[in-house]
């Protein structure tokens, strides 16, 4: 299924401090670094869906490439519906520090697209999780998948 491609980097797991607990809910800001609009949905759907169901902190999504106005409007609709904080284009280490995320999702180095490899190379040292959006082209372009995407974004 979508969003099942997460890989945890065990060396970055940590204990939760008592200051992060609020009525038993851990407040954890998270950041998904998505080269293109839809990469976050394909690679991190379970993270987004869990955040929508039970937010525990802020979920920021950063999109870097192919940001025409129509695609940005699509991403903003997704952000509103799923309570995400959107960022477009430039995003720097200081921006990441200001969010103070406990989890950072970065595309896997094994993804074929050069933009995914670029984001991985730049941000992998800050990643707590890696995700993949690579899937067989026939599945990606199937009418059922396209129908699901239209329904999810309508």
């Amino acid at each position: 299924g979508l969003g099942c491609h997460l890989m945890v980097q065990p060396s970055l797991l940590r204990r939760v401090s008592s200051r992060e607990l609020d009525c038993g809910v851990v407040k954890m800001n998270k950041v998904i670094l998505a080269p293109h609009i839809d990469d976050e949905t394909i690679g991190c759907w379970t993270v987004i869906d869990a955040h929508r169901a039970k937010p525990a902190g802020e979920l920021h999504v950063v999109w870097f490439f192919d940001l025409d106005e129509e695609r940005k409007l699509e991403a903003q609709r997704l952000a509103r519906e799923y309570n995400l904080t959107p960022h477009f284009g430039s995003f720097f280490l200081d921006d990441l520090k200001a969010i103070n995320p406990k989890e950072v999702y970065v595309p896997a180095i094994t993804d074929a697209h050069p933009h995914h490899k670029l984001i991985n190379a730049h941000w992998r040292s800050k990643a707590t999780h890696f995700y993949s959006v690579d899937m067989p082209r026939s599945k990606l372009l199937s009418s059922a998948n396209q129908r699901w995407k239209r329904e999810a974004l309508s």
Side-chain angles (χ1 to χ4, degrees), residues 20-94:
E20 293 176 291
L21 296 174
D22 179 33
C23 300
V25 176
V26 177
K27 299 294 182 184
M28 293 181 30
N29 289 341
K30 300 175 185 176
V31 174
I32 299 172
L33 300 173
H36 310 100
I37 294 169
D38 285 350
D39 289 341
E40 78 293 338
T41 305
I42 296 168
C44 296
W45 174 250
T46 55
V47 175
I48 294 169
D49 195 41
H51 175 76
R52 178 184 187 190
K54 189 174 181 181
E58 298 174 357
L59 179 54
H60 296 256
V61 179
V62 184
W63 293 283
F64 292 93
F65 301 102
D66 304 329
L67 300 173
D68 62 50
E69 285 308 308
E70 184 178 343
R71 300 288 282 159
K72 284 173 85 172
L73 288 173
E74 183 181 317
Q76 289 168 340
R77 272 196 314 272
L78 177 81
R80 276 192 305 276
E81 183 168 340
Y82 288 89
N83 193 28
L84 310 174
T85 303
H87 304 266
F88 299 97
S90 299
F91 192 77
F92 301 100
L93 186 56
D94 287 344

Side-chain angles (χ1 to χ4, degrees), residues 73-130:
L73 288 173
E74 183 181 317
Q76 289 168 340
R77 272 196 314 272
L78 177 81
R80 276 192 305 276
E81 183 168 340
Y82 288 89
N83 193 28
L84 310 174
T85 303
H87 304 266
F88 299 97
S90 299
F91 192 77
F92 301 100
L93 186 56
D94 287 344
D95 298 318
L96 189 67
K97 287 179 181 176
I99 295 169
N100 190 28
K102 303 303 179 216
E103 297 180 7
V104 179
Y105 296 82
V106 174
I109 191 67
T110 56
D111 278 3
H113 197 290
H115 289 158
H116 296 216
K117 290 183 182 302
L118 180 66
I119 297 302
N120 177 283
H122 187 74
W123 290 100
R124 87 177 70 145
S125 67
K126 303 300 179 198
T128 59
H129 297 73
F130 296 97

